[in-house]
Amino acid sequence: MPIDANEPDIRMSELPPCPKCQSIYTYEDGSLLVCPECAHEWSPDAPVQGDDAKGIKDANGNPLSDGDTITVIKDLKVKGSSLVVKVGTKVKNIRLVDGDHDIDCKIPGIGAMQLKSEFVKKI
């Protein structure tokens, strides 16, 4: 059956967008789906990651999630202050955010801060 250039391709809208770049121009290549814009390939049967799964890991490679309790593994100087977050400081109820400092939290005795996940470990 010839393809009419004026008719939209129905199959394209049935495929899910790319999970990496959200492109709608995905196509099938054998058993995989492929994104032509970022070259990401994935299985259509693979579980879709939710918004909570940002892929942020602690210093030991354990995945972190919102609400976790962590411990600081290195003395951290607080920028613009003489305060220091000491090794072993326990921080409860973290929140993951995008950016260089990917953990939002409140540290007892210091207040609201952002930390890098490479300087903490999950309890």
Side-chain angles (χ1 to χ4, degrees):
M1 176 164 108
I3 297 176
D4 186 2
N6 295 328
E7 298 258 341
D9 188 2
I10 303 299
R11 291 175 295 140
M12 187 181 300
S13 64
E14 293 174 2
L15 296 175
C18 175
K20 192 170 185 182
C21 72
Q22 300 304 314
S23 171
I24 60 170
Y25 302 110
T26 57
Y27 63 91
E28 289 180 289
D29 185 20
S31 63
L32 296 176
L33 296 176
V34 180
C35 174
E37 293 184 6
C38 71
H40 180 64
E41 297 180 355
W42 72 98
S43 172
D45 301 329
V48 178
Q49 291 184 346
D51 291 338
D52 292 340
K54 292 184 174 86
I56 298 173
K57 298 183 179 190
D58 70 358
N60 296 330
N62 299 318
L64 295 171
S65 60
D66 289 343
D68 280 348
T69 300
I70 57 172
T71 300
V72 177
I73 62 169
K74 176 182 176 183
D75 282 348
L76 302 172
K77 294 180 183 178
V78 179
K79 198 174 208 177
S81 171
S82 61
L83 297 173
V84 176
V85 180
K86 294 287 191 180
V87 170
T89 301
K90 189 174 180 180
V91 182
K92 297 179 183 178
N93 199 20
I94 65 169
R95 188 169 56 102
L96 302 179
V97 294
D98 291 330
D100 186 33
H101 291 73
D102 42 18
I103 298 173
D104 251 352
C105 61
K106 288 186 181 176
I107 298 179
I110 296 178
M113 288 196 79
Q114 288 188 326
L115 300 173
K116 291 185 177 184
S117 58
E118 63 195 71
F119 299 121
V120 302
K121 70 177 181 179
K122 187 174 182 177
I123 294 181

